Amino acid sequence: AQKITQTQPGMFVQEKEAVTLDCTYDTSDPSYGLFWYKQPSSGEMIFLIYQGSYDQQNATEGRYSLNFQKARKSANLVISASQLGDSAMYFCAMRSPPTSYDKVIFGPGTSLSVIP
Amino acid sequence: KAGVTQTPRYLIKTRGQQVTLSCSPISGHRSVSWYQQTPGQGLQFLFEYFSETQRNKGNFPGRFSGRQFSNSRSEMNVSTLELGDSALYLCASSLGQGGNEQFFGPGTRLTVL
């Protein structure tokens, strides 16, 4: 069965430091997409970054990068130079196949708190 | 460009009632997806609409339905409300069907008493 695991319920990071949020996934499908979303306390989900299973390079979007290790089935999110506004819940998600929403599953989330 | 809007933002209903939630996507976006978020089950996909047709459906009972209009606006309906339907309902839009980059609205928080 497909599954997303985020083992860190809560994390703290000092402002301006880098932080890695862990995500491991389980699927037998060869084609899938991995996503990270941010959800501030306001409730709105914000798309951060996408990685396709066949992408050769790790995805990057500004201060966000995805450390994709296919053999280990991990897709960790790295946030560089943390800012106070980064405090939020972060969700890892997988869609398999990548264009199909009905197979999307989300992890339980990691609560990140950035300390001044 | 205006973002995704959802109305109402908050709603209180009682068991057995029905409710309709509305979502207006970003201008030009043709795909609208709905998600349910609860503390117990987390985030779950409900359905996706594209060009007025339901393209994908999650594992929810038939009490949950939706539709999309020609202007891409979408409504979600839940009939015979149950206490377990209390949740944050999120709507997201993207340019095309199955788009990677989805833009989410602020959500509608439904409380069923």
Side-chain angles (χ1 to χ4, degrees), chain B residues 36-56:
Chain B
Q36 181 196 65
Q37 186 176 25
T38 61
Q41 299 297 318
L43 273 156
Q44 297 182 89
F45 168 75
L46 277 157
F47 25 64
E48 180 200 12
Y49 285 87
F50 180 79
S51 292
E52 302 177 62
T53 303
Q54 187 181 91
R55 304 290 179 159
N56 291 288

Side-chain angles (χ1 to χ4, degrees), chain A residues 36-96:
Chain A
W36 277 93
Y37 296 91
K38 170 185 176 181
Q39 187 176 41
S41 56
S42 59
E44 184 173 341
M45 294 283 285
I46 302 168
F47 165 79
L48 295 178
I49 199 167
Y50 165 81
Q51 178 85 43
S53 59
Y54 292 118
D55 293 343
Q56 295 297 313
Q57 293 188 323
N58 287 345
T60 60
E61 289 285 348
R63 294 187 299 112
Y64 305 106
S65 61
L66 201 152
N67 184 2
F68 181 45
Q69 298 187 46
K70 194 170 182 177
R72 293 186 177 184
K73 294 189 175 179
S74 77
N76 298 339
L77 176 71
V78 180
I79 306 175
S80 63
S82 296
Q83 302 172 356
L84 295 179
D86 293 335
S87 294
M89 282 291 291
Y90 288 81
F91 294 94
C92 178
M94 176 172 66
R95 283 177 13 203
S96 180

